[in-house]
């Protein structure tokens, strides 16, 4: 089999591995990570020192340790304390916690970037702090946080390749299996890299389109 024929034959399995493994894993982890990040961000800006302290520690631990180590602790380490988690849930938990740590600071900064007058305006028309946050502050903060959060998601798509190390069947895992069978490691890994690049290029284009759309509603 020629190298070109190998590339053609392996393209669909790799691409399908990305569509059914990499992208769903990234989406699920990012969605859950955003929920965690919002909670941590609100704790971080809270006047309650205990809640703020817990958030600080969480962010410090997540940002101060490698994602691979976090992944291994959950999948390989938890069984030692009697908790066994399957590969897919382990990957989602690890990636979600990681996204939560990084995205929390993005969301916190976005919330703080909203002028304090917006809070006062909400209180003036009789809104509660919770209603003011959800109806006035978060929508404005969301526009500010779109670019950095989009970059976080794109990075997550690439980071999902680490899930292959805990036996999750995603695109890089498929690439490893094909490379091991064909013994053409360079060809297959370069092909996988190109597909990752295509995915990220499409996501970057979507990010640019979303930013332009949101920019229409921002006063200059």
């Amino acid at each position: 089999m020629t190298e070109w024929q190998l590339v053609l034959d392996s393209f669909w399995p790799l691409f399908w591995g990305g569509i059914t493994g990499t992208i769903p894993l990234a989406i699920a982890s990012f969605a859950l990570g955003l929920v965690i990040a919002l909670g941590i961000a609100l704790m971080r800006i809270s006047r309650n020192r205990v809640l703020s302290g817990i958030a600080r520690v969480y962010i410090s631990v997540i940002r101060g340790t490698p994602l691979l180590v976090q992944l291994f602790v959950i999948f390989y380490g938890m069984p030692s304390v009697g908790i066994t988690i399957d590969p897919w849930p382990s990957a989602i938990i690890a990636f979600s916690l990681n996204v939560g740590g990084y995205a929390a600071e993005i969301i916190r900064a976005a919330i703080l970037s909203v002028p304090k007058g917006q809070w006062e305006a909400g209180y003036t028309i009789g809104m509660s702090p919770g209603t003011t946050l959800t109806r006035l502050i978060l929508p404005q903060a969301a526009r500010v946080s779109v670019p950095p959060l989009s970059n976080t998601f794109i990075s997550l798509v690439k980071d999902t390749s680490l899930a292959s190390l805990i036996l999750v069947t995603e695109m890089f895992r498929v690439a490893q299996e094909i490379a091991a069978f064909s013994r053409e490691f360079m060809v297959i890994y370069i092909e996988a890299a190109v597909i990752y690049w295509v995915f990220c290029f499409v996501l970057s284009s979507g990010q640019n389109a979303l930013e332009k759309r949101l920019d229409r509603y921002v006063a200059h």
Side-chain angles (χ1 to χ4, degrees):
M1 179 183 297
T2 64
E3 291 184 353
W4 179 245
Q5 186 62 46
L6 177 61
V7 169
L8 294 177
D9 291 344
S10 60
F11 175 79
W12 179 248
L14 289 174
F15 184 78
W16 186 245
I19 294 297
T20 61
T22 298
I23 299 302
L25 179 58
I27 292 175
S29 300
F30 189 71
L32 183 55
L34 284 183
V35 174
I36 296 172
L38 178 59
I40 296 297
L42 294 178
M43 290 171 61
R44 181 76 169 77
I45 63 178
S46 172
R47 294 181 179 178
N48 186 308
R49 292 186 177 181
V50 174
L51 292 179
S52 179
I54 293 173
R56 286 174 181 270
V57 171
Y58 172 79
I59 292 171
S60 177
V61 170
I62 293 298
R63 299 178 68 175
T65 56
L67 174 55
L68 181 60
V69 173
Q70 298 165 16
L71 194 63
F72 273 38
V73 165
I74 292 173
F75 184 71
Y76 293 112
M78 296 298 284
S80 66
V81 294
I83 302 175
T84 300
I85 307 175
D86 290 337
W88 264 88
S90 293
I92 291 176
I93 291 171
F95 292 141
S96 298
L97 292 174
N98 189 268
V99 168
Y102 284 92
E105 287 294 85
I106 295 173
I107 294 175
R108 180 183 71 88
I111 292 175
L112 294 178
S113 72
V114 178
K116 293 183 178 180
Q118 295 296 308
W119 289 95
E120 297 172 358
Y123 300 152
T124 299
I125 61 176
M127 289 184 177
S128 66
T131 303
T132 302
L133 176 67
T134 56
R135 299 189 63 179
L136 287 181
I137 306 303
L138 288 182
Q140 296 179 67
R143 295 170 187 166
V144 176
S145 62
V146 164
L149 287 179
S150 298
N151 290 334
T152 299
F153 179 68
I154 292 173
S155 295
L156 177 61
V157 170
K158 295 179 289 184
D159 288 341
T160 57
S161 61
L162 295 175
S164 64
L165 298 176
I166 61 169
L167 310 179
V168 172
T169 303
E170 44 71 62
M171 186 168 68
F172 192 66
R173 179 72 179 180
V174 174
Q176 289 177 313
E177 293 173 352
I178 295 175
F181 178 78
S182 66
R183 310 301 296 176
E184 293 288 349
F185 295 95
M186 178 67 77
V187 173
I188 297 301
Y189 288 157
I190 289 178
E191 183 178 15
V194 170
I195 297 176
Y196 274 114
W197 174 77
V198 170
F199 284 160
C200 292
F201 178 81
V202 172
L203 291 172
S204 296
S205 299
Q207 172 189 348
N208 293 334
L210 179 58
E211 288 180 26
K212 290 180 180 179
R213 185 176 182 83
L214 290 175
D215 195 50
R216 298 176 186 176
Y217 303 100
V218 179
H220 294 283

